[in-house]
Amino acid sequence: MVVQTIGAFLAVISFSLILELPKKHVILAGGIGAASWLVYLLVHASSGSVIAAAFLSSLLVALTSHIFARIFKAPVTVFLVAGILPSVPGTSIYRSVSYVIANNPDLSSHYLVETLQVSGAIAMAIFIMDSLFRLGQKR
Amino acid sequence: MNDKLLVETAVLAGEIMLVSGAEIYRVENTIDHILRKAGRNTAEAIVFSTGIFASLNDPAIEAITVARRVTGRSTNLNRVYLVNDVSRMLCEDRMTVEEAYVRLTDIRDSVQYGRRLKDIGVMGVAVFFTLLLGGGARDCLAAAVTGISLATAMEVSARIRLNDFCANAFCAFLIAIATLFMGQWLIPGIKSDIIIIGAIMPLVPGVIFTTAIRDTLNGDYASGTARIMEAVVIALAVAAGVGAGMGLFQWLTGGLSW
């Protein structure tokens, strides 16, 4: 689990290069990504649900992104985008395709539905935090 | 104050942000804030994912309206961040409009990381996502090779100006072939599934998806649905590419091992 968390940290930093994240925030974004993946692993291990894991880890990412965005006066996107990446349902998309190739439509559609559910969970998490932080804010 | 330059500055700021992947409401907000500095009666900004309209009007002046068509986008969060800074300084009167305009033209072409560094980024994503998904040392080694072929494929498809769908499908296809090839002959016993998953991560539309959600929930339905569509199309392209690669490999070797 420690190795995987370190992997998440380095993966998000590598992604920062592709997305041109501002240099001074790269390490912080990596930290958010690592924390979110740790939460994902813990929730997944204790509840066995991919959706709950994606939801709670995205919730953490969204919360910390909003806080850091206010501290550093930077757009929320800078932290949010990088931190979300480990939870993105690449695994479900892959499995859905691989079971199509393996001639197993049942499992394939199971993973297709899972992809949509995980995407929905991440969307919900971002939405909740966006709404909370917008309360009482002048437009 | 030079109204015309102010409108130009506002639209340029908006254009850079929009191209670099900022949310619609952030672009509109930024343009609005800058336009309001003129102190005219009407200052309006309408932003779509493909274009910007900004207008400034007052009985004392002739209306100034600028329309800008925006093509080609690539995520560059640093530019969003820098433009945000400029607009903040401009609105707090710590910068003149002339300075802001010059600064924005600099930002428009600014790149932080060179192409080589980006290739390393692509490779790093493949390697470290494999690690993150529970891969061992041999898996990471294989992922590094797959990452290099992905970076090459991305560069080739950019150079021959392949359209987005085909480029993504082509990259994903190559990932699947390279990984399965290595698993079969070069480094047997690797977990080819998590390596493929790790390597397709740079292609998976996580950023577009995130922005799409925030746009939709902010009430910018036109751009929100357009971006969701974009994310779905990219995901389909990646799926088609990986599927084609795996199918071809299966057909060639007469059996898959995963």
Side-chain angles (χ1 to χ4, degrees), chain A residues 4 20-21 24 130 134, chain B residues 78 81 112 132 214 218:
Chain A
Q4 293 192 37
E20 293 261 344
L21 217 74
K24 57 177 167 178
D130 270 7
R134 187 146 310 165
Chain B
N78 190 44
Y81 172 74
Q112 274 192 105
L132 168 164
R214 305 192 75 208
N218 278 315

Side-chain angles (χ1 to χ4, degrees), chain A:
Chain A
M1 198 171 274
V2 177
V3 177
Q4 293 192 37
T5 308
I6 295 170
F9 179 75
L10 295 172
V12 171
I13 286 184
S14 313
F15 239 117
S16 307
L17 297 178
I18 306 176
L19 300 176
E20 293 261 344
L21 217 74
K23 264 181 197 146
K24 57 177 167 178
H25 296 317
V26 165
I27 302 290
L28 196 57
I32 295 176
S36 108
W37 189 244
L38 188 62
V39 169
Y40 184 99
L41 289 174
L42 290 173
V43 175
H44 189 227
S46 60
S47 73
S49 163
V50 188
I51 298 154
F55 178 72
L56 288 174
S57 63
S58 309
L59 210 57
L60 176 81
V61 172
L63 176 68
T64 45
S65 304
H66 274 282
I67 293 172
F68 285 136
R70 274 156 185 72
I71 294 175
F72 295 108
K73 297 202 185 308
V76 180
T77 329
V78 170
F79 303 106
L80 188 61
V81 158
I84 287 292
L85 284 168
S87 327
V88 167
T91 314
S92 311
I93 296 178
Y94 169 80
R95 294 219 189 285
S96 180
V97 176
S98 75
Y99 281 116
V100 170
I101 305 293
N103 248 336
N104 192 336
D106 290 346
L107 274 174
S108 169
S109 46
H110 166 80
Y111 280 108
L112 183 64
V113 171
E114 191 183 274
T115 307
L116 296 176
Q117 284 171 324
V118 172
S119 316
I122 298 174
M124 257 342 263
I126 297 173
F127 173 54
I128 289 171
M129 280 302 155
D130 270 7
S131 313
L132 278 182
F133 276 87
R134 187 146 310 165
L135 289 177
Q137 198 182 66
K138 61 179 195 294
R139 173 106 182 161

